[in-house]
Amino acid sequence: VAGVRVFVPRERAPAETRVAATPETVKQMLAAGLEVTVEEGAGERACFLDAAYERAGAKLVAGSPEAWRAADLVVKVCGPVASDALGGVDEAEVLREGAVLVGFLAPHRSQALAERLSARRLTALAMELVPRITRAQRMDALSSQASIAGYKAVLVAASHLPKYFPLLMTAAGTVKPARVVVMGAGVAGLQAIATAKRLGAVVEASDVREAVKEQVESLGAKFIPLPKMEERGEGKGGYAREMSAAFLAEQRRIVGSHLVEADVVITTALVPGKRAPVLVPAEVVRAMRPGAVIVDLAVEQGGNCELSVAGRDVREGGVLIVGHPNLPATVPYDASLLYARNVWALCATLLRDKKLVVDLEDEITRGALFTHDGVVRYEMAAAAPPPREAAAG
Ligand code: NAI
């Protein structure tokens, strides 16, 4: 029997520089008995050259429709797009029925994509849907990429800021350290805090989850107190809940006084499946210091800053608002290195006797399934009953 055939295409989404398999994970796939084909130039922008894939044992091919059609498993970074290599045809259209597609498929946002994928009877696994359980930590691509975004957000801010980050004692006198406020101290926010601290800034952070206070303080930053209200921000799976309008208004009031003193604001606040909460309204931006820089990492989910625009740098008075939609793609080597490991860890759980098996009893597979067997699974997964063991008791 022929082994599972994996195809690693070159990403064609605008400005996407990452790749879903690296020579390291190609070797692991081959060792697991898979056949691996890589599109020429797939890893080039992430500094993984064709020769390295070849040395790892992959077969290099042009990104023709045949390469897509021959695949049992396609690993991607972004969801399928119309491709020049396919004569303008959408990548999802050339995959054979029943093939497995893995990538960041934006399940919360793409009803149309869900319908297209299920009409093609593809088994699509969305990296965003991998459940946050201990066994799945190695597959947690949201975290590996969020951490990179948090790190890079600080460097972007620092490079635009007309000031130093650290406190400096010079012969010409003292330079005050930059003040950084981080909104949302999850994976991205904590890495932003750590990076800003390493550069010497004074850092404060806000989050709606109580548990975060200790993590923020252990990084040497100050936690901005939460509104004194009954509501608690902890939601399912370690994520935040959507807070009431009254809570958010009170939070904006408390945080506002910190924001107007800030040199840099990094916003990362997200609520799964919902529009990002607006935490930096226009009037606060207008009251901020000239030269201040806001980096809005939630811009693709609608933005935490009222004035941010995805893919644009916006100037409001003296304040610069950076709305980069994909900072991990600006650190493509390490972003790909980690993402490829996440992807392979997920794919490896599907392998049984060198075949791909979609086991709906498996908590990770069931959680990550976006479409399968002509059915859009995501809504069902969201409303799924608890795992069998729990339901039986
Ligand atoms: P996320 O990207 O969904 O959200 C980012 C942050 O924004 C979160 O900390 C959230 O609480 C915060 N936020 C939401 N609404 C806010 C508001 N109105 N104001 C201020 N902050 C707000 O979450 P992320 O970063 O992916 O994960 C959050 C946490 O989940 C992590 O810090 C970690 O504790 C936990 N986690 C657990 C994992 C596991 O058990 N395997 C894996 C990854 C994360």
Side-chain angles (χ1 to χ4, degrees):
V1 212
V4 173
R5 287 159 301 186
V6 186
F7 179 52
V8 185
R10 185 162 72 77
E11 296 295 322
R12 286 187 166 71
E16 186 52 77
T17 56
R18 295 169 291 175
V19 61
T22 57
E24 175 189 76
T25 62
V26 164
K27 267 189 215 153
Q28 292 164 344
M29 290 173 183
L30 292 167
L34 280 58
E35 288 174 27
V36 186
T37 304
V38 177
E39 182 178 348
E40 288 159 358
E44 202 175 320
R45 283 165 301 172
C47 310
F48 298 105
L49 301 185
D50 288 352
Y53 285 101
E54 242 158 1
R55 274 199 304 278
K59 190 174 153 206
L60 272 287
V61 298
S64 64
E66 290 69 38
W68 284 82
R69 238 176 261 132
D72 304 305
L73 168 64
V74 174
V75 291
K76 283 199 43 83
V77 179
C78 302
V81 292
S83 165
D84 54 306
L86 304 172
V89 173
D90 190 283
E91 293 164 341
E93 298 302 318
V94 289
L95 277 165
R96 67 162 181 79
E97 275 196 9
V100 178
L101 172 68
V102 178
F104 278 128
L105 304 177
H108 303 305
R109 274 183 283 155
S110 17
Q111 191 56 37
L113 176 62
E115 279 154 23
R116 259 164 55 219
L117 296 174
S118 71
R120 301 273 312 131
R121 302 191 81 79
L122 298 175
T123 293
L125 293 150
M127 294 307 289
E128 295 95 328
L129 297 179
V130 169
R132 289 186 147 178
I133 56 175
T134 309
R135 188 160 68 90
Q137 268 177 7
R138 286 188 310 134
M139 310 163 199
D140 188 352
L142 281 183
S143 291
S144 70
Q145 306 304 295
S147 184
I148 292 175
Y151 159 82
K152 192 63 186 272
V154 172
L155 300 189
V156 168
S159 75
H160 285 294
L161 191 70
K163 295 184 176 181
Y164 267 127
F165 257 48
L167 168 94
L168 285 177
M169 312 282 217
T170 79
T174 305
V175 176
K176 283 195 204 153
R179 304 185 69 88
V180 175
V181 174
V182 176
M183 303 293 297
V187 178
L190 290 173
Q191 189 56 248
I193 294 169
T195 305
K197 285 296 294 180
R198 283 195 286 263
L199 285 177
V202 171
V203 186
E204 297 176 307
S206 166
D207 201 295
V208 290
R209 292 179 301 116
E210 290 272 353
V212 167
K213 181 171 189 281
E214 217 177 280
Q215 296 165 4
V216 167
E217 288 171 351
S218 75
L219 290 170
K222 216 177 108 195
F223 190 71
I224 301 172
L226 282 167
K228 288 199 173 43
M229 291 166 83
E230 287 303 297
E231 275 179 72
R232 286 289 159 269
E234 297 284 346
K236 282 195 217 98
Y239 290 110
R241 276 193 317 109
E242 194 171 32
M243 308 306 281
S244 71
F247 186 99
L248 289 176
E250 181 60 7
Q251 187 193 9
R252 276 197 294 272
R253 195 190 59 75
I254 297 171
V255 174
S257 60
H258 299 259
L259 293 176
V260 296
E261 298 294 321
D263 298 302
V264 167
V265 177
I266 312 280
T267 72
T268 77
L270 294 176
V271 179
K274 307 277 185 204
R275 191 202 179 283
V278 175
L279 303 172
V280 189
E283 66 265 22
V284 169
V285 176
R286 291 184 194 118
M288 284 173 66
R289 294 175 169 178
V293 181
I294 301 172
V295 181
D296 190 346
L297 293 183
V299 72
E300 285 254 271
Q301 281 76 28
N304 294 138
C305 176
E306 197 181 344
L307 300 177
S308 61
V309 179
R312 288 239 315 263
D313 287 357
V314 175
R315 270 185 198 283
E316 180 69 23
V319 178
L320 174 69
I321 308 156
V322 178
H324 200 299
N326 188 0
L327 281 178
T330 68
V331 190
Y333 180 86
D334 282 326
S336 301
L337 198 82
L338 297 174
Y339 180 70
R341 288 177 189 164
N342 298 142
V343 164
W344 169 233
L346 176 64
C347 295
T349 65
L350 301 179
L351 282 181
R352 307 281 149 85
D353 295 329
K354 302 193 177 179
K355 284 207 185 66
L356 290 176
V357 176
V358 177
D359 177 2
L360 296 176
E361 299 293 320
D362 183 274
E363 190 180 357
I364 296 174
T365 309
R366 192 177 57 227
L369 268 185
F370 184 30
T371 66
H372 177 57
D373 229 358
V375 178
V376 177
R377 300 270 322 174
Y378 168 59
E379 281 298 322
M380 289 161 58
R388 273 200 325 159
E389 319 80 81

